[in-house]
Amino acid sequence: MEPARLDEDAVAAIGAERIDWRFKGLPDALAGKTLAEAAAARPNLFRDGFLPPLVVIDEEALEHNLRTMADWVAGQGLLLAPHGKTPMAPQFYQRQLAAGAWAITAANASQLRVYRAFGVSRILLANQLVDPAALAWLTEQVNGDPGFEFLCWADTVRGVELLTEGLAGLARPIEVLVELGAPGGRTGARDRAAARAVAEAISASPVLRLAGAGGYEGAVAHGDVATASATVRGYLREMCGLLAELHSDGLFADAERVVLTAGGSAWPDLVAEAFTAFAPRWTGPELLAVLRSGAYLTHDDGIYRGITPFGPGARLAGTTALKPALHGWAQVTSKPEPLLALLTSGKRDFSFDEGLPEPQLRRRGQENTELTGATITKLNDQHAFLELRAEDQVQVGDWVRLGLSHPCTVFDKWQLLPVVAADGETVIDFVRTYF
């Protein structure tokens, strides 16, 4: 199955954007330069005027994660449609597609517009689209580009009705998957009977084509790992059972392919386990088993580090571990008490919804020293409270590197992020986000 494509020229044009006051943290000396010119100059993060706080991307870790996931997914016989909402960075989509991604996943209509502005040719919307303005725009996109493939979800008969009304002008049908949810979960039909009614409504629509089943197992994963794993496995079995039932009912009689999709960045191993066990029993049209993980690309030093299946001691023992590729840098701006320092960073800079930043290094002059035992106890809008283990751990003016948790809520705080080489301080590129 061919990977999706995007407009290489549109991505390359990002490099022609000029640096100015809009981009926080960048040196005044780079103002007026294009992003390509600034990257070619190889500025130093600490000696060339970058202003804390900053979030930087580790190129070596990023490339490692990109290849690790691509290789693992291919080895499982799955396709990858990474969730692009995490970074909203077309430069990343380009790399993911080049590494073999089948599609890019989106969550809402605004994200779809960004993807299409950069020519993404196959998009999976992991949601039910019901807004008339969004559906009118989608109609124009589908009718205007014969190479554009669009798939989305539906979880209610009413949602199918709104899709049908809003897409009445389509020149060709779009593919729609039934979303299966669970009682007490997020979106999705709550049981097979409700899902089957949605599937029948899709099949009866003149502008829709029933294309499979999908869902998000993370919405049902609660409790400790053992409890969550059992719940996720049950949910995925139910999804596979639904797909088989729809096939038995003859709803895929005219389909050339059927899509089965699940998967965030916490439970990809269980998705692979369920889908690879189901595939040999499938007797219908070509089955495309699609994983939608998104946070794997940068990984983190928090929630995903704690639940990843990859690496020594994790659920997939013997696999290559993902590496954290996002780091925050802040400066000590105040030390009002011997064991308390305040950093120039806060909720507007770093994620805090799934764990506070983790102090890792102190930089004084040209030297980095491990910052052991120190903790961030809380964040204000623009300050981080750094509780110290010893009085001499930091002083005013030092820089502090922070590990970050939950990349989804890091990227949306930054329009432009420096990419650093293996030395952690030579800037070799810039990544533009579009939130």
Side-chain angles (χ1 to χ4, degrees):
M1 179 61 62
E2 272 190 30
R5 305 174 306 282
L6 84 175
D7 186 340
E8 303 277 347
D9 291 338
V11 177
I14 294 172
E17 188 166 2
R18 295 196 178 274
I19 293 172
D20 60 20
W21 49 267
R22 290 173 297 163
F23 305 122
K24 63 182 181 181
L26 297 195
D28 184 63
L30 294 182
K33 293 184 182 295
T34 67
L35 298 183
E37 290 168 346
R42 299 294 192 264
N44 184 278
L45 202 63
F46 304 104
R47 296 194 297 272
D48 291 326
F50 285 85
L51 304 173
L54 291 166
V55 169
V56 301
I57 299 168
D58 181 324
E59 167 60 27
E60 187 177 57
L62 185 77
E63 180 64 20
H64 167 86
N65 295 343
L66 178 73
R67 295 297 168 189
T68 295
M69 181 61 84
D71 291 347
W72 181 80
V73 168
Q76 300 299 309
L78 304 177
L79 298 173
L80 181 63
H83 214 318
K85 71 176 175 63
T86 298
M88 287 304 295
Q91 291 155 283
F92 284 173
Y93 307 159
Q94 182 180 42
R95 294 176 67 162
Q96 290 170 310
L97 294 173
W102 176 72
I104 304 294
T105 299
N108 60 40
S110 292
Q111 292 168 11
L112 290 177
R113 291 178 64 186
V114 174
Y115 294 13
R116 289 299 292 160
F118 288 89
V120 178
S121 65
R122 185 184 293 123
I123 301 172
L124 170 59
L125 178 69
N127 226 326
Q128 183 167 253
L129 194 61
V130 298
D131 181 76
L135 292 170
W137 172 86
L138 179 61
T139 299
E140 294 176 356
Q141 292 293 306
V142 173
N143 290 349
D145 184 354
F148 175 39
E149 295 181 51
F150 177 78
L151 303 89
C152 68
W153 291 356
D155 69 356
T156 59
V157 172
R158 177 57 178 158
V160 175
E161 292 171 351
L162 290 172
L163 272 170
T164 301
E165 293 168 11
L167 298 172
L170 275 181
R172 54 189 168 92
I174 64 164
E175 295 181 288
V176 181
L177 284 67
V178 179
E179 182 192 1
L180 181 67
R186 199 167 66 183
T187 53
R190 284 334 200 211
D191 53 42
R192 284 200 202 179
R196 188 165 56 252
V198 175
E200 290 170 351
I202 295 168
S203 295
S205 170
V207 292
L208 309 178
R209 183 167 64 242
L210 181 65
Y216 174 52
E217 74 290 342
V220 303
H222 306 295
D224 58 31
V225 171
T227 301
S229 295
T231 305
V232 167
R233 284 189 171 99
Y235 169 73
L236 294 169
R237 283 195 299 270
E238 190 68 10
M239 186 186 297
C240 293
L242 169 64
L243 196 71
E245 186 175 305
L246 297 179
H247 173 51
S248 296
D249 289 346
L251 294 179
F252 297 124
D254 299 324
E256 295 182 0
R257 69 181 187 190
V258 172
V259 176
L260 178 64
T261 178
S265 297
W267 307 98
D269 55 324
L270 301 190
V271 174
E273 174 189 290
F275 287 4
T276 55
F278 174 71
R281 304 196 303 270
W282 176 253
T283 59
E286 180 185 13
L287 179 66
L288 304 184
V290 180
L291 183 70
R292 302 191 313 276
S293 304
Y296 75 91
L297 193 58
T298 58
H299 198 47
D300 74 357
D301 278 308
I303 179 175
Y304 290 115
R305 180 181 63 190
I307 59 179
T308 179
F310 295 96
R315 297 192 304 274
L316 287 173
T319 55
T320 302
L322 299 175
K323 298 179 180 180
L326 278 178
H327 294 106
W329 281 100
Q331 198 168 31
V332 179
T333 187
S334 175
K335 194 178 177 190
E337 300 172 15
L339 299 180
L340 173 66
L342 281 299
L343 307 182
T344 56
S345 60
K347 295 178 180 178
R348 295 186 173 185
D349 309 302
F350 303 148
S351 56
F352 57 92
D353 58 318
E354 296 285 0
L356 293 172
E358 174 186 87
Q360 296 177 336
L361 298 175
R362 180 201 72 198
R363 185 178 181 87
R364 183 176 297 166
Q366 304 301 314
E367 294 186 5
N368 291 337
T369 304
E370 284 193 31
L371 194 54
T372 56
T375 57
I376 299 293
T377 58
K378 65 178 178 177
L379 297 178
N380 291 160
D381 282 355
Q382 310 286 188
H383 292 88
F385 289 70
L386 178 64
E387 187 176 283
L388 303 169
R389 178 183 51 104
E391 186 174 346
D392 61 352
Q393 277 191 297
V394 302
Q395 63 186 28
V396 173
D398 289 346
W399 288 64
V400 174
R401 193 184 83 173
L402 300 161
L404 305 175
S405 178
H406 199 202
C408 296
T409 51
V410 177
F411 280 103
D412 61 4
K413 296 170 174 56
W414 297 87
Q415 296 182 64
L416 195 64
L417 297 102
V419 179
V420 296
D423 63 5
E425 57 186 85
T426 301
V427 176
I428 59 173
D429 202 358
F430 294 89
V431 168
R432 184 75 161 88
T433 68
Y434 297 88
F435 285 94

